[in-house]
Amino acid sequence: MIRRLSDYREVVDEAKISEIYRKGNKIADNHILHINSTYYGGGVAEILMHMMPLLDDIGIDVGWRSLVGSPDFFRVTKKFHNALQGEEITLTDMKKRVYEQTNLSFAKFTHIDHDLVIIHDPQPLPLSKFYKRKQPWIWRCHIDLSEPQGEIWEYLRGFILPYNLVVYQMDEFAAQGVSGDYTIMRPSIDPLSVKNKDLPDGTIEKYTQKAGIDRERPLITQVSRFDKWKDPQGVIKVFDLIREEIDCQLLLVGAMATDDPEGQQVYEEVHSLIKDRNDIIVRIGAHDIMVNAIQKSSDVVLQKSIREGFGLSATEALWKKTPVVASNVGGLPAQVKDGETGFLVEPDDYEGAAKKVMDLLTDEDLREEMGENAKQHVKENFLITRHVEDWIDLWTKLLAPGA
């Protein structure tokens, strides 16, 4: 069933729901468009999927289109993504040609006559170059740009400059050299979605059993795309240190994003590390109910990313009162308050991560205290209702500044 904004009264104050409806009325006559690179896989697509029906219910005409690209295009843009997070790249004319030609081709059959356009991440970034822009354009960047590789940033910056506004996840990602006109907008989760709503105990038991979990042993979990920046190999290193002290199990829940051609390779590397082990489980493509049950049943969620734009799987776990041990990178410190909702460690501190996980595994009172803090922190900061309101406020500034 399609959810309405009013359905969120069970988790958000009713007065706030009314306020969001009223704000939306100010821009209800406008037609707004989101463009990203995939309809499925990854946080951007998931956020948009849950947000579109709410905006429609509020009365705002908002559409969503996904860039059409070849495998070569997505191989190139994955290299761009990696370089924006600090990896070296050889920026050849061929890469530039594939990148720009794909955007040009898409522009030829995608007509944009909307009042405002939001472009997500680097894949469709050049689109503004191929239109006579008669409306505001926003670039919404979900990537950790704290240390971009210089050559790729210099190249992409030329496409960013014409945009009216840039939206980042964190102030730390607002790289120098682009117009100072930017805003910060944190991502969100949908608390009423299948992945995040409360489940009956029987349902949790059913799906954890299907996942192969031994309910008698402590469970450590990481939920992430199969991506080298999520460092699943490092998670296994941390787990091996914990196993020297505690009889427990590790569950790696992963998925493939359609715009990430490296996912299969990372999955195969992980699979090769765990052959013939019965204390590590890998689940690929787990559906939302199973992910929900796993996060709720986990004693600790480990998010040991090397780079991280935000990492919504950490927020999902916190919402379910599961403490998180996370790397002190990207958007994770905004979610994991060290010593309050979980612990932060440096990405290469395997022993430190193992110790923090063991502190939680051996102290039930600490887990419960952090779990309560975690849910409240998410409720106050990272729910979809706040995210919808953020967009409406921003669109109103651009479309109806006097309203």
Side-chain angles (χ1 to χ4, degrees):
M1 186 174 68
I2 300 296
R3 282 185 294 279
R4 305 183 62 199
L5 184 65
S6 57
D7 295 335
Y8 291 79
R9 288 176 294 173
E10 62 184 82
V11 289
V12 178
D13 185 74
E14 201 168 89
K16 173 54 69 176
I17 299 296
S18 296
E19 182 183 0
I20 296 172
Y21 274 118
R22 289 195 300 272
K23 286 183 174 183
N25 288 336
K26 299 176 182 178
I27 54 171
D29 294 334
N30 292 280
H31 194 189
I32 297 166
L33 177 64
H34 287 275
I35 301 178
N36 77 324
S37 61
T38 177
Y39 285 122
Y40 177 78
V44 179
E46 186 167 342
I47 289 170
L48 290 175
M49 189 179 303
H50 292 294
M51 191 175 290
M52 293 299 107
L54 300 185
L55 293 166
D56 180 71
D57 174 57
I58 291 168
I60 307 173
D61 191 358
V62 182
W64 173 20
R65 295 179 188 170
S66 185
L67 179 68
V68 178
S70 67
D72 282 342
F73 171 76
F74 288 115
R75 277 192 288 271
V76 168
T77 54
K78 180 61 179 181
K79 290 181 183 296
F80 286 5
H81 176 105
N82 291 341
L84 287 172
Q85 296 194 144
E87 190 168 282
E88 289 300 315
I89 186 175
T90 302
L91 186 59
T92 63
D93 290 339
M94 178 63 76
K95 289 186 178 75
K96 294 178 183 179
R97 187 157 53 248
V98 169
Y99 181 54
E100 295 182 36
Q101 183 62 48
T102 298
N103 276 273
L104 173 59
S105 298
F106 184 74
K108 291 294 185 183
F109 61 79
T110 303
H111 304 293
I112 295 179
D113 56 0
H114 302 70
D115 299 300
L116 189 148
V117 181
I118 303 102
I119 301 295
H120 292 264
D121 282 338
Q123 295 93 333
L125 176 60
L127 279 177
S128 67
K129 176 181 178 180
F130 305 117
Y131 289 96
K132 293 181 179 178
R133 294 181 296 111
K134 302 176 182 178
Q135 67 281 87
W137 283 58
I138 297 171
W139 187 49
R140 174 61 168 113
C141 179
H142 301 266
I143 298 173
D144 183 345
L145 288 180
S146 54
E147 297 180 17
Q149 195 265 356
E151 186 179 16
I152 191 66
W153 184 237
E154 184 65 27
Y155 170 61
L156 294 179
R157 210 168 60 186
F159 298 116
I160 300 169
L161 289 171
Y163 280 76
N164 299 80
L165 185 69
V166 179
V167 179
Y168 297 107
Q169 314 269 51
M170 313 278 293
D171 279 303
E172 293 83 352
F173 299 170
Q176 298 299 314
V178 175
S179 168
D181 195 5
Y182 72 87
T183 191
I184 301 301
M185 189 180 298
R186 302 286 172 81
S188 64
I189 62 166
D190 183 348
L192 303 188
S193 70
V194 171
K195 190 191 285 189
N196 294 309
K197 68 180 183 180
D198 289 336
L199 296 176
D201 290 342
T203 301
I204 293 173
E205 180 65 34
K206 173 184 175 180
Y207 284 102
T208 52
Q209 186 175 2
K210 283 189 173 184
I213 296 168
D214 177 2
R215 297 299 296 273
E216 299 302 315
R217 290 193 292 168
L219 175 62
I220 305 162
T221 302
Q222 175 158 300
V223 180
S224 291
R225 288 183 293 112
F226 287 105
D227 185 327
K228 63 185 176 184
W229 298 105
K230 310 296 184 182
D231 195 19
Q233 296 91 337
V235 173
I236 294 172
K237 288 181 183 179
V238 172
F239 176 69
D240 285 340
L241 292 171
I242 298 168
R243 282 282 284 134
E244 294 175 4
E245 304 288 338
I246 299 175
D247 180 22
C248 56
Q249 58 196 316
L250 172 66
L251 178 55
L252 296 171
V253 182
M256 305 288 186
T258 58
D259 59 349
D260 184 355
E262 294 181 353
Q264 184 64 36
Q265 177 185 342
V266 174
Y267 168 73
E268 291 171 359
E269 290 172 359
V270 170
H271 195 266
S272 69
L273 290 174
I274 64 166
K275 287 189 298 185
D276 303 321
R277 293 188 64 163
N278 59 12
D279 56 352
I280 301 179
I281 306 167
V282 175
R283 298 291 305 190
I284 183 170
H287 53 71
D288 285 351
I289 296 178
M290 181 174 284
V291 172
N292 187 337
I294 289 168
Q295 289 173 326
K296 179 64 176 178
S297 302
S298 298
D299 295 283
V300 180
V301 162
L302 184 59
Q303 190 61 49
K304 220 203 73 53
S305 303
I306 300 169
R307 296 279 188 187
E308 188 64 77
F310 203 74
L312 279 175
S313 59
T315 300
E316 293 164 3
L318 295 171
W319 178 247
K320 300 173 184 73
K321 300 185 179 181
T322 303
V324 176
V325 175
S327 295
N328 188 21
V329 296
L332 290 169
Q335 304 166 73
V336 180
K337 296 300 182 182
D338 192 32
E340 296 180 24
T341 67
F343 293 112
L344 293 172
V345 296
E346 294 308 310
D348 58 353
D349 186 3
Y350 303 112
E351 292 185 357
K355 182 182 183 304
K356 294 301 184 183
V357 172
M358 287 189 285
D359 286 347
L360 286 162
L361 292 182
T362 56
D363 191 335
E364 184 176 356
D365 291 340
L366 180 61
R367 291 200 306 274
E368 290 183 359
E369 179 185 351
M370 286 191 167
E372 293 294 335
N373 293 340
K375 180 143 191 167
Q376 186 62 31
H377 182 54
V378 175
K379 183 176 181 179
E380 292 173 358
N381 294 281
F382 302 118
L383 297 187
I384 195 170
T385 46
R386 185 235 78 221
H387 202 173
V388 166
E389 185 176 19
D390 285 351
W391 274 123
I392 292 173
D393 288 343
L394 183 57
W395 296 338
T396 301
K397 288 180 182 178
L398 293 169
L399 297 171

